[in-house]
Amino acid sequence: MSTERIALIDVNNFYVSCERAFDPKLVGRPVVVLSNNDGCVVARSQEAKDLGITTGAPFFQVKQFMRSHGMAVRSSNYELYGDMSARVMEVISRFGSWQEVYSIDESFLGVQGNPEQLGELATRIRAAVGQGVGVPVCVGVAPTKTLAKFANHIAKRNEHLNGVCSLDSMDPDVIDGIQSRVPVTDLWGVGGKTGAKLAGLGITSIADLKRAEATEIRKKFSVVLQRTVLELNGTPCIAHAEERADKQQIMYSRSFSSPVTTLEAMLEVMSIYAQRGAARLMGDGMWATLLTVSAGTSRFAAGEASFPAVTLKLPRPTQDPILLSRLASAAMRELVVPGVSYVRGGVVLSGLQPDPGQQSFGIFEDEISENHVGDVLGAVKAKFGDKAIGLGLGGLAVEPGWSMKREHSSPKFTTEWSDLPVVRA
């Protein structure tokens, strides 16, 4: 008999796996990926974890240790990771009746079948992602989202399962035994503070929480934790979202590798960030009606911290990079104090809406807008990448001196023509 179940597909060590997909020499080697401006460790391969590297470790503190142990270091390559995520999710979507993308490396999927079929399907999903995208995933299948997360937890920690765990194929006594050994804080949605309160009630393992009275848990904690108890007992309580909520804003914000102290440099920042935000608008098929620009000094710098920002209502819904660049630069011109050391800047496009249709332009619309130069810029960027064309420094391949430091960055293998891998016979 066919049964409806939920699969949770999760890419193993996502950032590292993306790097390894295009550089096989990294396979089996300890690898770490760094945060913005190469500040601290945000992702680790299992080999790096085994050597004691922790998430959040400042790079300058562990740099020498990494070098002495032959670790590979990579700067965060968000363009690559975002594109690889989209590819993974597209492959996964072929196998289910519905899909909910939970994060950049996780997706819930509605699946059907008997226990044997579900196990085979999970194996096929894993193989398809590996062959089509080149990254390893684990698949957990269960009656509820919470149990699917738990099944994925089992798949990751038991090599003999080959990355797949379907609870329907497991002996209930075995499942109970595992749940009695796994801390309740390893459960999806149970954080450290909640875990400490549960421990005060004698609930320290997943099995303990499963046996708890759901109504009492609600009284002492919340309806959210009550749902977790019910889901552990096989009752689906967390609905899936077949359509993701409409995106409310697009943000392009970065810390600078070196402080920006002049008005000219900050106007360059705003122009480039506005153009990149416009490219994202075009990619999403959205038009913005509000523009916010901001900058910020370091909270630890001498003197009073400063975080100037302003929001403008746009003259019309737009995704025009020329108009957005002009308005962002003009708005920031009134905010910047020359000589002050700004360490971050950002552009936020909000009030998003789908295609507003044909708009009537006023008599004061400039010739550039009438000739749709912005549309041409956007189309070229969409086809050939952000650096193919742009306004001012936004059209140069060489990054400005204030750009986010990424000294160990790999190429943008899938999003920049110049970075495409080359196969030599």
Side-chain angles (χ1 to χ4, degrees), residues 8 60 98 207 242:
L8 187 280
F60 76 92
W98 57 265
E242 295 188 13

Side-chain angles (χ1 to χ4, degrees), residues 67-135:
R67 185 180 292 118
S68 65
H69 286 79
M71 289 191 193
V73 178
R74 295 290 182 270
S75 302
S76 293
N77 189 339
Y78 299 118
E79 297 85 353
L80 174 65
Y81 307 151
D83 187 67
M84 292 289 279
S85 173
R87 294 171 185 233
V88 169
M89 300 311 165
E90 192 281 325
V91 172
I92 292 171
S93 69
R94 305 171 192 171
F95 294 89
S97 57
W98 57 265
Q99 180 184 26
E100 180 184 347
V101 178
Y102 180 67
S103 68
I104 192 172
D105 59 349
E106 290 181 276
S107 180
F108 290 107
L109 195 69
V111 295
Q112 290 187 336
N114 60 40
E116 183 179 354
Q117 292 169 335
L118 290 169
E120 292 174 352
L121 178 63
T123 299
R124 291 207 311 274
I125 293 173
R126 188 169 189 269
V129 175
Q131 181 177 17
V133 187
V135 294

Side-chain angles (χ1 to χ4, degrees), residues 121-188:
L121 178 63
T123 299
R124 291 207 311 274
I125 293 173
R126 188 169 189 269
V129 175
Q131 181 177 17
V133 187
V135 294
V137 301
C138 283
V139 184
V141 183
T144 69
K145 283 186 175 181
T146 301
L147 287 174
K149 277 273 198 176
F150 171 69
N152 190 282
H153 175 96
I154 296 175
K156 279 190 173 183
R157 287 156 179 77
N158 294 272
E159 291 186 8
H160 70 280
L161 295 178
N162 295 317
V164 170
C165 176
S166 176
L167 294 189
D168 286 326
S169 299
M170 295 182 65
D171 186 313
D173 291 337
V174 173
I175 296 174
D176 289 341
I178 296 173
Q179 291 178 339
S180 67
R181 297 192 298 272
V182 178
V184 71
T185 48
D186 281 0
L187 192 62
W188 181 41

Side-chain angles (χ1 to χ4, degrees), residues 314-361:
L314 297 171
R316 64 178 186 274
T318 187
Q319 53 178 206
D320 184 347
I322 296 178
L323 177 61
L324 291 170
S325 177
R326 285 178 173 177
L327 292 176
S329 298
M332 185 53 70
R333 184 182 294 274
E334 304 300 321
L335 300 176
V336 169
V337 178
V340 172
S341 294
Y342 296 99
V343 297
R344 65 181 63 85
V347 168
V348 179
L349 300 168
S350 54
L352 305 189
Q353 63 181 63
D355 188 348
Q358 187 67 34
Q359 302 174 61
S360 59
F361 296 133

Side-chain angles (χ1 to χ4, degrees), residues 197-216:
K197 293 179 181 178
L198 286 169
L201 299 175
I203 300 174
T204 58
S205 70
I206 293 177
D208 294 334
L209 184 60
K210 181 179 179 179
R211 289 191 293 266
E213 177 57 48
T215 54
E216 290 300 314

Side-chain angles (χ1 to χ4, degrees), residues 260 262-273 275 325-326 328-334 336 402:
V260 168
T262 67
L263 174 61
E264 291 75 16
M266 184 60 77
L267 296 185
E268 291 172 354
V269 171
M270 292 298 111
S271 176
I272 292 175
Y273 286 10
Q275 292 176 66
S325 177
R326 285 178 173 177
S329 298
M332 185 53 70
R333 184 182 294 274
E334 304 300 321
V336 169
W402 44 260

